[in-house]
Amino acid sequence: MRHGNKTKKLGRTAEHRDAMLSNMAASLIQHKRIETTIQKAKALRRYIEPLITKAKANTTHSRRVVFSHLQSKEAIKELYGAVATAVGDRPGGYVRIIRTGIRHGDAAEMALIELVDFNPDYNGQSKEGDSAKGKKRRTRRGGTAKAAATIAAPAAVAAAVQEEVAVVEEEVSDVAEETNDIVEEANDVVEEAQDATEEKNEA
């Protein structure tokens, strides 16, 4: 029975499984994204996130502990450099798993596993290294051009409204004149009709 044993064996012995997760973790740190099966991705997430958390403390002891798992100097350099800087303010959840469908051949469910802070499509960044620079805070201080434009906006709007009002007044006056002309023509027609009836009565 497997009571209390949460380890996913992945069809491998313990030594083979540790070596595979170590290589996958090093590849993920160096390339920021790898494709694998969904079960391996879930196992890798539980394997690599504690290492990234430990990499936030850049000490000799933490480097030795992480190196004992990764066994790659290039991965250690990248982890304690760009990766640790990018995830410095993140409390956890350093990787993301995206399902990509079924693999032809053995019908295994595939997935992408990637570092969250290095995907510009999700984070709205221009390139991978932008997350290391930190997010820019929005502030309302300072006399910027935008503030000047905001101050000048009401005057421009008022001028535009006055122009529109003048145009509308001209149109209204034109319509009033046309209405007066129509009323005068109607009065003339009525007078002609009355004259015609009077002539008939006299005849």
Side-chain angles (χ1 to χ4, degrees):
M1 288 182 286
R2 301 180 64 247
H3 293 174
N5 186 1
K6 297 182 180 179
T7 302
K8 295 184 183 298
K9 293 187 176 180
L10 302 175
R12 290 165 173 79
T13 61
E15 294 81 4
H16 188 181
R17 185 169 56 249
D18 290 340
M20 182 192 68
L21 292 176
S22 175
N23 290 332
M24 291 176 65
S27 298
L28 179 60
I29 291 171
Q30 290 177 349
H31 302 289
K32 310 300 184 296
R33 171 188 288 188
I34 60 175
E35 185 177 8
T36 182
T37 61
I38 187 68
Q39 295 300 327
K40 290 180 184 177
K42 290 180 179 180
L44 178 59
R45 177 171 58 187
R46 295 187 61 183
Y47 182 86
I48 196 172
E49 288 200 346
L51 300 181
I52 297 176
T53 300
K54 190 171 289 291
K56 290 182 179 181
N58 190 2
T59 62
T60 303
H61 176 65
S62 68
R63 281 178 175 266
R64 287 175 175 172
V65 171
V66 174
F67 182 78
S68 68
H69 289 83
L70 297 181
Q71 296 293 321
S72 172
K73 292 183 179 180
E74 292 78 9
I76 293 294
K77 183 178 180 180
E78 183 70 16
L79 177 61
Y80 279 86
V83 176
T85 304
V87 302
D89 297 332
R90 187 177 293 277
Y94 311 111
V95 298
R96 177 189 294 118
I97 296 176
I98 304 172
R99 297 172 186 263
T100 58
I102 303 299
R103 179 169 61 190
H104 297 292
D106 60 353
E109 188 175 359
M110 303 299 292
L112 282 174
I113 181 169
E114 63 181 8
L115 296 177
V116 172
D117 294 283
F118 291 86
N119 189 337
D121 296 333
Y122 278 80
N123 301 334
Q125 300 167 355
S126 60
K127 56 183 179 179
E128 290 184 353
D130 287 351
S131 59
K133 299 178 182 177
K135 296 182 180 178
K136 199 171 183 180
R137 291 186 58 189
R138 295 179 63 186
T139 178
R140 299 176 66 180
R141 299 178 182 175
T144 60
K146 184 176 181 180
T150 304
I151 295 173
V157 171
V161 170
Q162 289 179 355
E163 291 179 359
E164 292 181 358
V165 169
V167 172
V168 171
E169 289 178 351
E170 290 179 359
E171 293 178 354
V172 169
S173 62
D174 294 339
V175 171
E177 291 179 358
E178 292 177 357
T179 304
N180 293 333
D181 295 338
I182 293 172
V183 170
E184 291 178 357
E185 292 178 357
N187 292 333
D188 294 339
V189 171
V190 170
E191 290 178 358
E192 291 178 356
Q194 289 177 353
D195 294 338
T197 53
E198 288 178 356
E199 289 177 357
K200 287 181 181 180
N201 294 332
E202 290 178 357

